[in-house]
Amino acid sequence: MMSAASDATRPVALVFFIALICGGHVEGSNGAVSLQGSDDSLCRPQQVHLALTSDPTEMRVMWKTLGSSCQSGLQHWRLSRLSNDVNNTQSLLARSGGNAISSSYSSDDMCASPAKDFDFAPLNLHTFIMTDLEPGEWYEYRLRDSADTLSFRASPRPGPENQVSFVVYGDMGESDHARAKAPGARATADYVTRDVIDNDVDLVVHVGDLSYANGDPEIWDTFMDYIEPYSSRAPYMIGIGNHEYDYRTGKEKHRSHRKDPSGASSPYDPDWGNYGNDSGGECGVATARRFIMPEAYLDAARQEAAQQEAPNHGSSVNSPFWYSFDYGSVHFVMLSTEHDVTPGSHQYRWLEQHLEGIDRCLTPWLVVGMHRPMYVVHPHKSNRIVAEHLRASLESLFNQYNVDLVVSGHVHSYARTCNVYDENCVDNLDKGTTHVTLGCGGHKLSDVDHDQYDWLDYSETRGHGHRRYIGIQPAGGILDAQAASSLTASQ
């Protein structure tokens, strides 16, 4: 099913979960910082979520406040999980600059209707990077003006000996405003919360179609509230889907729009595709401001310069649209299928150069996340046409650099291929990649025909919240994956 690129050093295991489906003042050792504020209701942190940076000694925390003049501050300390002793207490406070950054967006930043028609004031978004962490160790932290103490595990250093566990899903949404559209979102959030808290899951990967907000800040807030119980405890790494980015402006299909945070001069709309105004005109603005992924440009001047230069340099990351990160023995690459991935495109040139530079002795396992799948089950004709073009652009490159696993969403069902190349099951010592579609994180499920391709190993459409645990153990350089358990939350 999957193979490691190097025989020199084998990882202990790669384990991943597939989810189909706060008391008082902190007394630090130096007592340098009070985390109490003057107005708890306006400055109380909401929608807290973590993300990795490109440095395992760091962890980014992001949150929202109702007030516009709230200070960004936190304390974090290393935790001994056996005795609950506090070691190496650090107190941090930033009023401006440093590791703390405030950002915002409003309806004026949207690219098209209906998103730009929502009349909402600029949001108050905060981000802070915790530094000098010991990789792989457990920490607790408390944000300024919060009564909640939360814990997380710092990212381990890259290395083949490190076991990794992660939850991955796509197409979640929220059920408060759109129960008919996303009836399983709450169940998925509940199950993932239990996995993160009870099973020490390392991180969560959401491969696009996050909130389905179409620019509505209330829907975004509800979605962020759904994920906060676990995204505040494990890094929440996201990919871009059609409902985050795809847009149209006016009557001219390809009219340039400078607000596009990816730097594209026009929305991607190939003749063979089924791309539309699926983000409702958000064009990635809300996602890029709310979810800061590794190597993102946080400075407006640097962002604008990068956008102007983007067409002329082919080796630039474009986070959160395409970027990468390490976690233990795994190297993750996140791509945007909502942008051009054909050979010669900006994204393809970055990907080709990036894959060539990965040290597979250090991170033997290579996982690619991309919203639209390269292998699509019947009867999804328009998505199968897009998949054919994605395979034509990417499959030989993935095979050349021994991509082990591709995780996708978009099609609202669960499907897993054999180790496949060019639509044929192949010996994993030869070539090929396993593709898993997990577009059942909450959205209403799609039908899957019984008559399927030979490359389909397994499919499932029985219920939202369906969770499948897959344990992967090395066996002579070949990884065998078996479903160890399953749970259906609703039928």
Side-chain angles (χ1 to χ4, degrees):
M1 180 177 178
M2 284 175 274
S3 61
S6 170
D7 292 327
T9 309
R10 292 293 176 193
V12 175
L14 168 63
V15 179
F16 61 94
F17 296 85
I18 294 177
L20 310 180
I21 20 182
C22 286
H25 173 65
V26 173
E27 295 293 344
S29 62
N30 58 10
V33 178
S34 169
L35 297 184
Q36 300 299 320
S38 59
D39 191 330
D40 290 340
S41 62
L42 291 179
C43 292
R44 181 180 63 82
Q46 302 176 9
Q47 305 169 16
V48 181
H49 55 291
L50 301 172
L52 302 171
T53 74
S54 55
D55 186 340
T57 69
E58 298 177 344
M59 184 69 73
R60 181 184 298 280
V61 58
M62 294 157 278
W63 69 97
K64 173 188 172 183
T65 60
L66 297 178
S68 60
S69 59
C70 301
Q71 296 176 344
S72 299
L74 62 79
Q75 288 180 323
H76 71 274
W77 58 93
R78 185 172 169 179
L79 177 67
S80 170
R81 302 200 91 196
L82 296 178
S83 62
N84 290 325
D85 291 335
V86 173
N87 302 305
N88 190 28
T89 300
Q90 299 182 55
S91 297
L92 305 173
L93 175 63
R95 300 179 188 277
S96 63
N99 283 337
I101 296 176
S102 297
S103 64
S104 183
Y105 72 90
S106 70
S107 53
D108 291 338
D109 296 305
M110 302 292 109
C111 290
S113 296
K116 71 178 183 179
D117 300 327
F118 288 98
D119 186 16
F120 62 92
L123 304 181
N124 306 299
L125 306 176
H126 307 263
T127 179
F128 202 107
I129 298 179
M130 292 177 273
T131 61
D132 299 321
L133 305 178
E134 184 66 29
E137 294 296 326
W138 284 88
Y139 287 81
E140 288 185 338
Y141 71 100
R142 182 173 294 181
L143 294 170
R144 182 183 179 90
D145 297 302
S146 175
D148 299 330
T149 298
L150 300 165
S151 62
F152 69 94
R153 182 189 179 212
S155 173
R157 293 191 187 280
E161 71 282 357
N162 290 320
Q163 176 173 304
V164 177
S165 65
F166 62 100
V167 165
V168 56
Y169 57 83
D171 305 76
M172 181 175 172
E174 51 79 41
S175 305
D176 288 21
H177 298 85
R179 182 169 179 80
K181 183 176 184 179
R186 173 61 74 183
T188 294
D190 290 343
Y191 284 118
V192 178
T193 298
R194 288 202 289 271
D195 276 337
V196 169
I197 294 176
D198 297 339
N199 298 324
D200 289 344
V201 166
D202 294 313
L203 71 155
V204 178
V205 179
H206 191 156
V207 287
D209 282 8
L210 311 180
S211 69
Y212 296 88
N214 285 357
D216 188 337
E218 292 187 7
I219 293 179
W220 265 114
D221 287 346
T222 302
F223 170 77
M224 300 301 294
D225 290 341
Y226 271 36
I227 68 172
E228 184 180 18
Y230 55 98
S231 66
S232 59
R233 293 173 169 86
Y236 199 90
M237 312 304 291
I238 61 98
I240 296 295
N242 53 308
H243 286 279
E244 282 71 63
Y245 179 76
D246 292 10
Y247 68 99
R248 296 290 173 265
T249 54
K251 295 181 179 179
E252 297 180 33
K253 203 175 187 181
H254 298 290
R255 191 172 69 186
S256 175
H257 205 286
R258 290 194 62 203
K259 292 182 179 180
D260 185 329
S262 73
S265 60
S266 61
Y268 186 54
D269 186 30
D271 293 339
W272 43 262
N274 54 0
Y275 298 77
N277 196 38
D278 295 342
S279 78
E282 281 192 7
C283 62
V285 170
T287 304
R289 300 291 176 85
R290 287 177 178 267
F291 293 94
I292 302 173
M293 296 293 104
E295 301 179 279
Y297 290 113
L298 303 183
D299 178 275
R302 289 181 63 208
Q303 176 75 12
E304 184 173 356
Q307 291 177 1
Q308 292 175 353
E309 188 183 357
N312 301 315
H313 69 270
S315 59
S316 175
V317 68
N318 192 2
S319 178
F321 301 95
W322 53 91
Y323 65 97
S324 70
F325 61 94
D326 292 321
Y327 200 98
S329 57
V330 184
H331 185 79
F332 292 85
V333 175
M334 304 299 289
L335 300 178
S336 172
T337 53
E338 310 316 303
H339 293 77
D340 193 357
V341 295
T342 58
S345 66
H346 179 201
Q347 185 172 193
Y348 185 93
R349 295 198 303 269
W350 169 81
L351 175 63
E352 185 175 34
Q353 182 173 339
H354 182 75
L355 291 176
E356 184 179 6
I358 298 172
D359 184 349
R360 297 298 291 273
C361 292
L362 190 64
T363 52
W365 308 117
L366 177 53
V367 177
V368 172
M370 49 191 289
H371 179 63
R372 295 175 188 254
M374 292 170 59
Y375 282 86
V376 176
V377 296
H378 287 301
H380 304 277
K381 182 178 180 179
S382 64
N383 288 323
R384 284 190 281 117
I385 293 172
V386 173
E388 292 172 1
H389 287 267
L390 291 175
R391 291 200 303 273
S393 295
L394 297 174
E395 190 164 34
S396 62
L397 189 65
F398 286 179
N399 186 66
Q400 178 182 351
Y401 290 103
N402 299 300
V403 173
D404 296 300
L405 177 67
V406 174
V407 289
S408 303
H410 194 63
V411 177
H412 302 139
S413 61
Y414 172 80
R416 184 180 69 244
T417 72
C418 60
N419 188 68
V420 63
Y421 181 73
D422 194 23
E423 298 189 273
N424 293 301
C425 296
V426 296
D427 190 318
N428 57 1
L429 291 178
D430 180 22
K431 55 187 175 183
T433 299
T434 299
H435 297 254
V436 183
T437 300
L438 316 111
C440 35
H443 194 284
K444 181 180 178 180
L445 298 178
S446 302
D447 291 331
V448 173
D449 288 349
H450 293 293
D451 184 18
Q452 290 293 340
Y453 298 101
D454 291 339
W455 47 253
L456 182 64
D457 190 47
Y458 184 83
S459 66
E460 179 65 78
T461 60
R462 287 186 298 176
H464 294 100
H466 184 86
R467 169 180 166 269
R468 186 167 296 274
Y469 169 88
I470 299 180
I472 302 176
Q473 302 290 340
I478 302 173
L479 294 181
D480 296 323
Q482 296 180 346
S485 65
S486 63
L487 177 65
T488 301
S490 62
Q491 297 294 332

